Amino acid sequence: MNEFSRWLAATEVSHVIQTTTWIIPTLQTIHILSVAAVFSAAILVDLRIWRLLDRDAPLPELARRFLPTIWPVLLILLVTGSLLIVGEPRRSLLNSTFYLKMALLVVAIALTAGLQRTISSSPNFWDRDLARRVAGRFAATVSILVWCGILFAGRWIAYTQAG
Ligand code: HEM
């Protein structure tokens, strides 16, 4: 990964990102606005599963409204995040916090996709009996913790980078 980071940092596109002052702040701004969109959509649905929010709105309606927005915005996060890596490869690619963030992201994607699929195939899936309600709240809690972990790890990359 050391060799690859060195090679990536020497490419023309990395050089342009490194030397054009507005590119990194712009990518970071788009990244953080997208983080806000994805995080709010996921958390709104998780809090509704806990019945802490919008109790009168049916869960399937809320899930249909918010969860589909996550996927295109994740693509924006992937593109901006990848360009940030191209600009400063060593910051992330030699940093275990970055890999923690990616591992948590895989869990968050699996949970969100599972939630979306179960609700769209059977609107009362998480409300059918006590066991389902407990399982739904457990999944919502893990989802909240994992999304918060991704935010924390994203910010933490700056403080754990290789020398
Ligand atoms: C989809 C793939 C993603 C990639 C490749 C990626 C990559 C990156 C990179 C390279 C940075 C800059 C770290 C630094 O140099 O300090 C960053 C920052 C950050 N990322 Fe991501 N990221 C992705 C998705 C996400 C997601 C889904 C979230 C949260 C929902 C997230 C939250 C953050 C946060 C909070 C920061 C710190 C921003 C700042 O302090 O300016 N990222 N990300």
Side-chain angles (χ1 to χ4, degrees):
M1 208 37 96
N2 211 337
E3 273 302 298
F4 176 69
S5 302
R6 223 185 288 276
W7 169 81
L8 195 55
T11 57
E12 183 66 33
V13 58
S14 178
H15 189 67
V16 171
I17 296 174
Q18 289 164 38
T19 54
T20 313
T21 41
W22 59 267
I23 295 184
I24 288 183
T26 305
L27 290 172
Q28 283 174 338
T29 305
I30 299 171
H31 201 76
I32 208 75
L33 286 172
S34 308
V35 166
V38 165
F39 186 75
S40 344
I43 296 303
L44 277 172
V45 173
D46 291 335
L47 291 178
R48 171 59 186 78
I49 290 174
W50 264 102
R51 301 195 138 267
L52 291 172
L53 193 106
D54 248 341
R55 285 172 202 212
D56 299 332
L59 176 61
E61 188 191 306
L62 217 77
R64 241 194 326 272
R65 208 158 92 212
F66 293 115
L67 293 185
T69 59
I70 290 181
W71 309 115
V73 184
L74 267 183
L75 201 64
I76 298 174
L77 281 165
L78 181 67
V79 172
T80 52
S82 303
L83 287 171
L84 285 169
I85 294 172
V86 173
E88 292 179 278
R90 293 176 63 84
R91 244 176 109 95
S92 296
L93 298 181
L94 304 184
N95 190 331
S96 51
T97 312
F98 170 74
Y99 296 101
L100 171 68
K101 175 177 157 178
M102 290 299 113
L104 289 173
L105 187 56
V106 171
V107 177
I109 288 174
L111 271 172
T112 308
L115 219 56
Q116 192 175 2
R117 190 161 313 150
T118 47
I119 294 172
S120 68
S121 67
S122 163
N124 294 326
F125 188 90
W126 296 107
D127 236 347
R128 212 168 285 158
D129 52 41
L130 181 65
R132 288 276 175 92
R133 278 196 289 279
V134 172
R137 286 179 181 200
F138 178 72
T141 307
V142 175
S143 167
I144 292 171
L145 292 175
V146 169
W147 284 113
C148 288
I150 296 170
L151 290 185
F152 188 69
R155 239 348 339 252
W156 206 16
I157 290 169
Y159 303 95
T160 53
Q161 57 185 300

